[in-house]
Amino acid sequence: AGFLGKKNGKGFYLYGENGKPEGPNPEAIKLLPEANNKKDEVDIQMRVFLPMINEASFILQEKIVEHASDVDLGLIFGIGFPPFRGGLLRYADSEGGERILSALDKYSKSVDAKRYEASPFLRNLVKNKIKFYESMP
């Protein structure tokens, strides 16, 4: 549509002569699809955190790191995961493995089977009623 951003003064925003955004580009907004399904806050959070939790369980399964605390430390310092939550896997433990696995299975069927396919490590933890922080010495 010729929206090159600052190069030609219009993209998602309209840009003034000084290159600063002057507001949304109404022509670009017309190109966006109509919002047809609203998602609640919990749904959005689960869609973001579940793949991260699942990938962290693969990291433990493949013994890339030894402890859940190593994963959490990396995520706190690496991506800025909220430290007050104790880290991603501490958060997952507080939510409960059953809830995490149930949500992964739900999204695997309704959203994307590959993205939300639970790791065997996670399934084993839930089956044996073990938390991430109890899984390694």
Side-chain angles (χ1 to χ4, degrees):
F3 301 142
L4 303 177
K6 289 183 180 181
K7 289 181 183 180
N8 69 348
K10 59 184 178 176
F12 288 110
Y13 298 96
L14 295 174
Y15 295 91
E17 290 180 22
N18 60 3
K20 294 196 180 204
E22 295 182 344
N25 181 353
E27 293 177 50
I29 292 172
K30 290 178 190 174
L31 297 174
L32 297 174
E34 292 288 325
N36 57 1
N37 61 357
K38 294 257 180 196
K39 298 193 179 9
D40 67 2
E41 185 176 334
V42 173
D43 189 46
I44 293 168
Q45 290 171 349
M46 294 301 267
R47 285 174 177 240
V48 170
F49 289 120
L50 287 174
M52 291 173 56
I53 293 167
N54 198 38
E55 193 62 32
S57 69
F58 276 113
I59 289 170
L60 290 168
Q61 175 182 314
E62 295 169 9
K63 300 193 185 309
I64 295 170
V65 299
E66 290 186 32
H67 305 282
S69 59
D70 296 334
V71 174
D72 283 347
L73 190 62
L75 289 170
I76 288 169
F77 287 113
I79 67 167
F81 191 86
F84 69 89
R85 294 260 185 236
L88 181 70
L89 296 180
R90 182 69 74 187
Y91 165 76
D93 281 349
S94 73
E95 288 295 313
E98 298 84 8
R99 181 172 184 229
I100 300 294
L101 184 58
S102 172
L104 278 167
D105 289 341
K106 172 187 153 192
Y107 288 118
S108 176
K109 291 175 186 153
S110 65
V111 178
D112 185 327
K114 287 187 179 184
R115 183 184 310 162
Y116 293 99
E117 182 179 352
S119 77
F121 184 84
L122 178 59
R123 288 192 183 281
N124 189 48
L125 288 180
V126 172
K127 176 183 166 191
N128 294 309
K129 299 186 184 318
I130 299 172
K131 294 182 176 199
F132 281 107
Y133 270 77
E134 300 168 346
S135 66
M136 299 289 167

